[in-house]
């Protein structure tokens, strides 16, 4: 697995339109160079490692070529110097895929990454062959907006203990949270301010404003929507909406909170890889 860090300015390949406030994205590349392409879009306040660290080797083992950029302020990507735009973020991810040699690819999106994936498919239909959308949304509802408001307020105040608590409450199912050992619970509630990605506030703010509802009917590639049925952050009705409004989309459910890669990683990975194999993606 290769990580492409932020290159010196003279060596950078522009990954967004001139004038964008986005920095070049630090990008992990893995798998067979000639394999079918996969582009990963992680969630808000997440990272490639946190959301896809265990999926990447599974995809590589199945012969895929994986390109996984970190958003501004996640991983080794510098923080943006202004608010994030869904269009610019989608374009930047596609640019990283093409810079890594992928002409076409399947997008795998988690949480906010589902909206990034849909936007990329709408803006670059000639490149996108399929979509896998887990625990996603087309537009935040009142409940999600309240969680995001609380996240942003705690981050603004520098209350990292409170932020860790609300992330655990919104991200983990009741069953999983209550089953944690005292040591595991302490780790989940670690108030270390270096743990949340530096760009968490900008990423959470983007979730509050994004809206891909008008783009869904135009998606014309094989799509799998995976609902997390015990999700306190993004209720599964968001995933059902995606499946209902993307023509021909397949729909699956997994009994986890917002983080299936943590609560039921093997079941989630199987849903993803089986869909890819079924459609030759």
């Amino acid at each position: 697995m290769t990580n492409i860090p932020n290159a010196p300015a003279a060596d950078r390949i522009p990954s967004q339109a001139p004038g964008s406030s986005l920095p070049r994205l630090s990008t992990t590349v893995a798998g067979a160079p000639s394999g079918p392409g996969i582009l990963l879009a992680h969630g808000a306040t997440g990272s490639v490692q946190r959301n896809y660290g265990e999926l990447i080797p599974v995809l590589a083992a199945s012969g895929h070529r994986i390109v996984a950029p970190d958003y501004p302020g996640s991983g080794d990507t510098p923080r943006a110097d202004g608010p994030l735009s869904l269009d610019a973020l989608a374009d930047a991810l596609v640019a990283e895929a093409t810079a890594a040699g992928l002409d076409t690819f399947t997008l795998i999106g988690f949480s906010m990454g589902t909206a990034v994936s849909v936007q990329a498919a709408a803006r670059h239909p000639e490149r996108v062959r399929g979509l896998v959308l887990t625990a996603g949304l087309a537009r935040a509802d009142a409940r999600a907006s309240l969680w995001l408001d609380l996240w942003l307020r705690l981050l603004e105040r520098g209350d990292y203990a409170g932020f860790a608590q609300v992330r655990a409450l919104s991200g983990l199912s009741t069953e999983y949270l209550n089953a944690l050992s005292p040591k595991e619970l302490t780790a989940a509630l670690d108030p270390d301010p270096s743990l949340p990605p530096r760009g968490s506030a900008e990423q959470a703010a983007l979730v509050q404003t994004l809206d891909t509802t008008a783009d869904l009917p135009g998606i014309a590639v094989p799509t799998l929507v995976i609902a997390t049925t015990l999700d306190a952050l993004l209720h599964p009705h968001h995933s059902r909406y995606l499946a209902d409004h993307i023509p021909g989309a397949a729909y699956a459910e997994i009994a986890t909170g917002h983080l299936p890669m943590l609560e039921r990683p093997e079941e989630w990975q199987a849903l993803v890889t089986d869909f890819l194999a079924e459609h030759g993606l």
Side-chain angles (χ1 to χ4, degrees):
M1 186 160 58
T2 302
N3 185 264
I4 303 175
N6 297 288
D11 297 327
R12 292 187 186 179
I13 301 171
S15 57
Q16 57 280 323
S20 169
S21 63
L22 294 189
R24 175 71 188 273
L25 307 183
S26 177
T27 298
T28 298
V29 180
S34 59
I38 299 288
L39 178 59
L40 302 181
H42 68 74
T45 78
S47 67
V48 167
Q49 181 58 37
R50 291 180 185 181
N51 293 165
Y52 295 121
E54 294 185 13
L55 180 63
I56 289 173
V58 171
L59 294 171
S62 63
H64 289 88
R65 181 67 162 176
I66 305 101
V67 176
D70 276 298
Y71 301 154
S74 287
D76 291 329
T77 302
R79 194 171 182 176
D81 58 12
L84 297 179
S85 153
L86 190 63
D87 285 354
L89 196 55
D91 289 350
L93 260 69
V94 171
E96 291 297 328
T98 57
L102 297 185
D103 291 327
T104 60
F105 42 81
T106 297
L107 270 153
I108 298 179
F110 164 69
S111 192
M112 182 182 81
T114 63
V116 176
S117 298
V118 167
Q119 196 76 350
R123 292 171 67 82
H124 305 275
E126 75 285 358
R127 296 199 178 276
V128 178
R129 299 180 60 222
L131 295 174
V132 179
L133 310 175
T134 300
L137 77 167
R139 180 173 58 199
D141 61 3
R143 180 184 180 86
S145 295
L146 285 171
W147 277 120
L148 293 163
D149 282 342
L150 183 55
W151 285 14
L152 289 167
R153 188 176 303 115
L154 292 169
L155 288 169
E156 183 178 2
R157 295 177 179 177
D159 184 353
Y160 293 102
F163 184 65
Q165 289 175 331
V166 299
R167 286 241 299 182
L169 287 171
S170 61
L172 303 175
S173 68
T174 300
E175 293 81 355
Y176 187 86
L177 183 59
N178 285 338
L180 293 177
S181 69
K183 182 178 180 180
E184 291 169 332
L185 183 60
T186 297
L189 301 179
D190 190 338
D192 184 345
S194 69
L195 292 177
R198 302 175 306 284
S200 290
E202 293 87 10
Q203 294 172 21
L206 177 57
V207 182
Q208 289 186 310
T209 61
L210 64 81
D211 186 347
T212 63
T213 54
D215 297 310
L216 301 179
I219 301 299
V221 295
T223 299
L224 171 64
V225 177
I226 303 173
T228 40
T229 60
L230 305 178
D231 198 329
L233 178 61
L234 292 178
H235 190 276
H237 76 72
H238 287 288
S239 288
R240 290 194 289 269
Y241 183 92
L242 291 172
D244 288 345
H245 289 81
I246 295 175
Y251 176 78
E253 295 182 344
I254 184 169
T256 72
H258 193 61
L259 302 170
M261 67 288 298
L262 181 64
E263 296 192 23
R264 293 195 175 191
E266 293 181 357
E267 183 178 345
W268 177 61
Q269 292 164 13
L271 287 171
V272 174
T273 56
D274 288 352
F275 176 79
L276 296 175
E278 178 185 355
H279 292 275
L281 298 172

